[in-house]
Amino acid sequence: MTAAVDSTESTTYLELSEDGGGAHKFYEVRQSGLDVTISFGRIGEPGQTRSASYATVDKATAAAARKVGEKVRKGYAPAVRGVRQRRAVTRREMVSSRSTARQAPVLWRFSSGAPAFGVFVGEEHAWVGNQRGDVFTLTHDGAVTGRFGLPDGVKCIVADDFWIYAGCDDGRVYDLGGKVPHVAYEIAEDVDIYWLDIHDGVLGVSDRQGGVTTVDHEDEFQWRRGGRGSHAWMVRCDDSGVYHGDSHGLTKYGARDGVQAWQVATEGGVLFGWQEPTEVFAGTSRGWVYRLAKADGSERARYRCDAAVFSCATSPDGQYVFAGDNHSSVYCFAADGTRLWKLGTGCGSAYSMQFRDGRLYIVTTDGSLACIDASENAVREAEGGRLPQTTDIKATGWERVLPSPELETTVAGPSGVADGVVVECVQEGGRTRIRVVSPGFDPTWRVQFPKDIRVPGARYVVTEVRASVQGSFYRTRGEIKRLL
């Protein structure tokens, strides 16, 4: 005789919605017999789902009640799904006018199809991410090599050693190091991401309310600070600190403890930030770019633009400082503050920029990724009205590669060894961890591994695993397969 399983069914739906742009999220707990399913996210969106099974119905009921109780104590209240509507995601709005300066020497221009915020230029590729969630990769000569499709608008693209991450308006940060994008970090539902930076696996997030939050490589909260102003469009991270810019100015916090090291008020709110090894740069709404010492916040130079500065960058040695305003102009300054040139982009205002190997790459309000020849000779020719032939590039025939929890499966070879590094998904203290089980790795180190494909007890084969810069965890890269 087979024992009957109690088919207890219950659903509790809660919401937390605050005035003034604060939290706007839901939490639902469903019990079906031995199974408890939790859904959570921003109100009006599908959100994320987690499920667990228990040995008895009583244990499942107790677990469900515990989850509900935790949220009620945090301010959640019973609600009816669908009554409250989705809150609009904050977009970075810029009224962009046409530049009156001479045209910059644009070598090539790629149309991404929507206003573009994210840019990163590495040794082999340039990356651009736009408001539709498209991320394209191109060679330095402008040839399209790939396309990812993320669920929401891309705020920024950042690199951490060999790894590339895209911060998305859906509150997630996606690892773009493999063939398919996967979720690396899930930011709290009440944090409206404005900007991101990452250093050795520690993610810094600046937000709409003017706060800054850090989380580690396992997506575990480290600390949060409220800031003095609002609209925090700048965060930069290094070994010693997190540099945070908001409507009031610039603040440095200790990287590990979040203790304030210094504060500097700026003329105009901070709209963008850049960093070099010993200095940090901040562009403001009043047309200034500040150059500050990381050690103590002392001002080393200041650069004057003719309108609000929405992006800035430097050459690697800090010899040249670049800026983009909301009048579709880009500037170049000498280190001492002398303005060397001002030219028009011809493709909108630069939301973000990066300089590499004599070229200035900008992403703009009209969705372009433009490559500008910033060499002295090319600029001199442009100032005289002599321009190179600009190549216009479009992404035709490229399918969007979407995030997916589905993986290919594989088996170990005849020798029992898989073709790659094997990692295992384990439960520790209520958290899901990943450990490398292939020989030659420290078995106690945690591994940064995609969150949306983890299955407790499962083993995976990954193309590559590397130790972190600080030597405390590993990171996976490339193709991932489920080991059968």
Side-chain angles (χ1 to χ4, degrees):
M1 176 180 289
T2 302
V5 176
D6 191 325
S7 58
T8 302
E9 300 278 349
S10 67
T11 299
T12 302
Y13 178 78
L14 307 170
E15 288 183 348
L16 176 62
S17 186
E18 300 170 343
D19 295 332
H24 192 65
K25 50 191 178 179
F26 75 89
Y27 193 87
E28 183 180 72
V29 178
R30 299 193 306 274
Q31 181 189 356
S32 178
L34 304 177
D35 300 323
V36 175
T37 301
I38 297 169
S39 300
F40 59 93
R42 288 176 174 163
I43 294 172
E45 299 181 3
Q48 305 160 46
T49 299
R50 300 286 185 268
S51 297
S53 295
Y54 296 85
T56 68
V57 171
D58 286 344
K59 289 184 177 180
T61 301
R66 185 169 59 252
K67 295 292 186 183
V68 171
E70 289 171 356
K71 292 300 178 181
V72 169
R73 287 190 292 274
K74 291 181 179 180
Y76 283 76
V80 177
R81 184 187 288 272
V83 173
R84 286 193 179 98
Q85 299 301 305
R86 172 180 176 174
R87 178 180 290 162
V89 173
T90 302
R91 303 291 191 187
R92 186 167 196 177
E93 299 296 338
M94 182 195 297
V95 178
S96 177
S97 59
R98 188 174 180 84
S99 177
T100 58
R102 283 190 176 271
Q103 172 64 42
V106 177
L107 298 175
W108 54 263
R109 181 172 50 226
F110 168 69
S111 175
S112 76
F117 300 89
V119 64
F120 174 74
V121 185
E123 291 184 6
E124 298 180 358
H125 293 99
W127 301 68
V128 54
N130 69 22
Q131 197 166 285
R132 291 180 183 168
D134 285 315
V135 178
F136 296 91
T137 60
L138 297 90
T139 66
H140 292 169
D141 293 327
V144 181
T145 58
R147 180 183 185 185
F148 296 109
L150 300 184
D152 213 330
V154 175
K155 273 291 200 296
C156 54
I157 300 175
V158 294
D160 193 20
D161 196 11
F162 291 94
W163 286 264
I164 303 290
Y165 300 89
C168 204
D169 280 334
D170 68 351
R172 297 177 173 184
V173 179
Y174 292 83
D175 181 351
L176 303 181
K179 294 180 179 179
V180 176
H182 288 295
V183 178
Y185 301 86
E186 293 175 339
I187 310 305
E189 298 95 338
D190 58 339
V191 175
D192 191 350
I193 298 172
Y194 266 21
W195 210 255
L196 303 169
D197 197 21
I198 187 169
H199 177 74
D200 197 38
V202 176
L203 184 74
V205 184
S206 59
D207 61 49
R208 178 182 180 179
Q209 282 76 39
V212 59
T213 304
T214 63
V215 295
D216 69 10
H217 67 280
E218 274 286 329
D219 198 24
E220 294 184 7
F221 173 85
Q222 290 195 308
W223 53 262
R224 187 177 193 276
R225 299 292 176 266
R228 296 170 295 168
S230 61
H231 297 83
W233 282 111
M234 172 186 171
V235 62
R236 294 290 177 180
C237 307
D238 66 11
D239 285 337
S240 66
V242 174
Y243 308 88
H244 173 239
D246 59 19
S247 61
H248 185 85
L250 202 63
T251 306
K252 177 183 178 178
Y253 298 101
R256 295 188 179 277
D257 56 17
V259 173
Q260 180 182 307
W262 50 256
Q263 283 186 336
V264 174
T266 56
E267 192 173 329
V270 175
L271 300 178
F272 195 85
W274 185 262
Q275 70 171 337
E276 291 297 329
T278 63
E279 297 173 316
V280 64
F281 300 76
T284 78
S285 60
R286 296 285 183 87
W288 290 103
V289 178
Y290 286 76
R291 182 176 193 152
L292 307 178
K294 284 184 171 180
D296 58 9
S298 59
E299 184 177 312
R300 293 185 172 175
R302 204 189 292 192
Y303 309 92
R304 183 62 172 161
C305 299
D306 300 327
V309 177
F310 274 77
S311 57
C312 59
T314 72
S315 58
D317 54 7
Q319 181 180 359
Y320 299 107
V321 177
F322 302 92
D325 69 15
N326 65 340
H327 287 211
S328 303
S329 297
V330 289
Y331 303 76
C332 178
F333 299 90
D336 64 2
T338 303
R339 183 191 290 187
L340 301 178
W341 50 262
K342 171 187 176 182
L343 295 168
T345 69
C347 55
S349 299
Y351 273 129
S352 188
M353 61 172 54
Q354 186 176 338
F355 178 83
R356 187 181 182 93
D357 297 334
R359 296 179 174 185
L360 184 65
Y361 296 81
I362 63 172
V363 289
T364 73
T365 50
D366 79 353
S368 294
L369 167 62
C371 176
I372 298 171
D373 187 343
S375 66
E376 184 177 341
N377 182 64
V379 169
R380 186 167 54 248
E381 290 289 300
E383 289 176 325
R386 297 175 295 277
L387 297 169
Q389 181 66 44
T390 301
T391 301
D392 281 303
I393 302 160
K394 296 187 182 298
T396 55
W398 286 93
E399 294 290 333
R400 302 173 92 225
V401 179
L402 304 175
S404 173
E406 302 299 324
L407 290 177
E408 290 184 47
T409 57
T410 188
V411 295
S415 63
V417 178
D419 186 18
V421 180
V422 178
V423 300
E424 184 176 34
C425 188
V426 298
Q427 294 290 115
E428 291 183 0
R431 298 279 300 189
T432 303
R433 308 291 189 193
I434 299 292
R435 294 285 187 264
V436 182
V437 295
S438 290
F441 293 87
D442 188 331
T444 66
W445 283 11
R446 296 175 182 172
V447 182
Q448 186 180 72
F449 188 78
K451 299 178 68 65
D452 51 347
I453 59 175
R454 297 183 180 191
V455 176
R459 288 193 170 194
Y460 305 86
V461 180
V462 296
T463 304
E464 182 180 351
V465 172
R466 294 194 184 190
S468 74
V469 174
Q470 303 297 333
S472 59
F473 69 97
Y474 298 110
R475 245 186 300 214
T476 58
R477 188 173 186 230
E479 191 174 14
I480 304 172
K481 294 182 179 180
R482 176 88 179 266
L483 183 62
L484 296 177

